[in-house]
Amino acid sequence: VLGSAELPPGASLGSHTHFGVEFGYVAEGEVEFIVRGKENYRVKSGGFYKIEAGAIHDAHSVGGPAKVIATW
């Protein structure tokens, strides 16, 4: 599955999970990822991230709008 999300300033996706590993790219802005059991981390435009299968996670834009493209 390939998907994208556009987040207004300060918006969150909401806690969720996927059956497969999520690989993603931050196309615009900065996103903070909150993965249960892990330390929060931020990824800026041009950066990549990976979230393990089954991990409960959330993401929110930091400081402005953000766009993310991901596959899982």
Side-chain angles (χ1 to χ4, degrees), residues 48-60:
F48 292 87
Y49 65 91
K50 175 185 174 186
I51 300 173
E52 295 298 330
I56 298 171
H57 61 284
D58 191 2
H60 71 267

Side-chain angles (χ1 to χ4, degrees), residues 5 15 20 22 27 31 33-34 42 47 50 54-57 62 68 71:
S15 293
E22 178 177 345
V31 178
F33 291 91
I34 300 97
R42 293 181 177 192
K50 175 185 174 186
I56 298 171
H57 61 284
V62 177
V68 175
T71 184

Side-chain angles (χ1 to χ4, degrees), residues 4-54:
S4 65
E6 295 186 24
L7 298 165
S12 292
L13 291 175
S15 293
H16 63 284
T17 187
H18 305 285
F19 290 110
V21 176
E22 178 177 345
F23 294 97
Y25 172 75
V26 177
E28 180 182 307
E30 183 175 1
V31 178
E32 181 172 34
F33 291 91
I34 300 97
V35 181
R36 188 174 292 173
K38 307 265 184 187
E39 191 170 323
N40 295 358
Y41 61 95
R42 293 181 177 192
V43 179
K44 292 183 179 182
S45 180
F48 292 87
Y49 65 91
K50 175 185 174 186
I51 300 173
E52 295 298 330

